[in-house]
């Protein structure tokens, strides 16, 4: 009776892998060969927003909080799945003694629970993604002022996105200076998981959890 749970389980396992502030932590790239740069161009600056977010204090705080939220979500879903697995095993054990119609009724009821659990897993994943997007949007908003401050302080005439530039003289990179300015502006961010229950059809059947 428990085989119908296996397909639903994959969405929960994927939650911890697909989210967790993955945009901020990328695997280390292999060491690039040494490059000799030409002279820095006066007034030309470059900036990496992903590196600024990942290395800033507020970015690290957001990453840590998102990981905590994901752990809470996985604990919730894993506990519920364990309960469903136990129900399925108990029903399996009663197959020989239950009448066919009673067996089918209980199996159908368990299927309804399993379907609701799968929908909850999908909902929780969307909530984590929405939480990450909202938190990072706040960090990028906070970056706006430090970028302008450093741009003016370094007398930049034009600012290029580092992710759009293949190679550049590192002395034109203002990212570290922006991070320092951002750290002086904000160090942490407090937020909870976004709740999308009211926006998803059929979610009324799901049991909300405490934050």
């Amino acid at each position: 009776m428990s085989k119908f749970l296996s397909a639903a389980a994959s969405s929960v396992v994927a939650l911890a892998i697909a989210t967790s502030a993955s945009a901020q932590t990328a695997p280390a790239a292999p060491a690039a060969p040494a490059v000799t740069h030409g002279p820095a161009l006066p007034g030309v600056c470059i900036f990496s927003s992903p590196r600024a977010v990942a290395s800033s204090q507020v970015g690290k705080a957001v990453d840590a909080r998102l990981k905590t939220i994901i752990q809470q979500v996985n604990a919730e879903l894993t506990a519920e799945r364990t309960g469903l697995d136990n129900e399925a095993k108990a029903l399996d054990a009663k197959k020989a003694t239950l009448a066919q119609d009673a067996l089918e009724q209980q199996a159908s009821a368990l299927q309804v629970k399993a379907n609701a659990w799968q929908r909850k897993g999908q909902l929780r994943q969307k909530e984590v993604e929405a939480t990450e997007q909202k938190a990072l949007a706040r960090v990028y908003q906070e970056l706006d002022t430090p970028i302008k401050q450093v741009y003016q302080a370094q007398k930049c005439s034009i600012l290029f996105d580092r992710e759009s530039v293949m190679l550049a003289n590192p002395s034109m990179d203002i990212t570290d200076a922006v991070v320092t300015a951002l750290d002086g502006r904000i160090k942490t961010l407090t937020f909870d998981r976004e709740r999308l229950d009211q926006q998803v059809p059929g979610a009324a059947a799901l049991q909300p959890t405490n934050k």
Side-chain angles (χ1 to χ4, degrees):
M1 299 301 300
S2 61
K3 64 181 181 180
F4 60 78
L5 294 175
S6 60
S10 60
S11 64
V12 182
V13 175
L15 180 60
I17 300 173
T19 51
S20 176
S22 57
Q24 298 181 41
T25 39
V35 175
T36 301
H37 298 279
L41 301 177
V44 178
C45 301
I46 58 175
F47 171 72
S48 171
S49 54
R51 184 162 70 85
V53 171
S55 59
S56 67
Q57 292 185 40
V58 66
K60 292 176 182 177
V62 166
D63 183 68
R65 177 60 180 151
L66 285 169
K67 287 177 179 176
T68 297
I69 289 174
I70 289 169
Q71 289 172 353
Q72 293 170 345
V73 167
N74 278 317
E76 171 195 1
L77 295 175
T78 300
E80 292 184 10
R81 187 197 169 193
T82 299
L84 289 171
D85 278 334
N86 290 338
E87 286 189 49
K89 291 175 183 176
L91 188 55
D92 265 336
K94 295 190 297 183
K95 281 194 302 184
T97 58
L98 276 180
Q100 185 62 31
D101 58 343
L103 179 65
E104 290 177 356
Q105 287 179 359
Q106 293 186 33
S108 178
L110 186 55
Q111 180 70 64
V112 170
K113 291 182 181 179
N115 291 343
W117 175 84
Q118 185 175 21
R119 291 196 301 271
K120 178 184 277 191
Q122 294 167 348
L123 175 65
R124 292 292 180 260
Q125 181 161 346
K126 291 178 181 177
E127 289 177 337
V128 170
E129 290 169 353
T131 303
E132 180 179 19
Q133 291 170 3
K134 186 173 181 178
L136 290 179
R138 171 70 188 281
V139 177
Y140 280 110
Q141 182 181 5
E142 292 289 345
L143 266 172
D144 186 64
T145 296
I147 290 173
K148 291 177 180 177
Q149 289 174 341
V150 176
Y151 178 91
Q152 292 178 323
Q154 305 237 359
K155 295 181 171 57
C156 299
S157 299
I158 188 170
L159 181 62
F160 287 105
D161 181 358
R162 181 64 185 85
E163 278 56 54
S164 300
V165 177
M166 185 173 294
L167 290 171
N169 189 315
S171 64
M172 298 189 296
D173 193 325
I174 66 171
T175 304
D176 290 340
V178 172
V179 170
T180 299
L182 179 62
D183 286 347
R185 179 182 177 86
I186 183 172
K187 291 180 172 59
T188 191
L189 198 59
T190 302
F191 57 92
D192 291 312
R193 190 183 80 233
E194 291 293 303
R195 300 302 178 109
L196 306 178
D197 303 67
Q198 303 305 317
Q199 303 175 28
V200 178
L206 306 181
Q207 295 298 319
T209 58
N210 295 325
K211 293 183 182 178

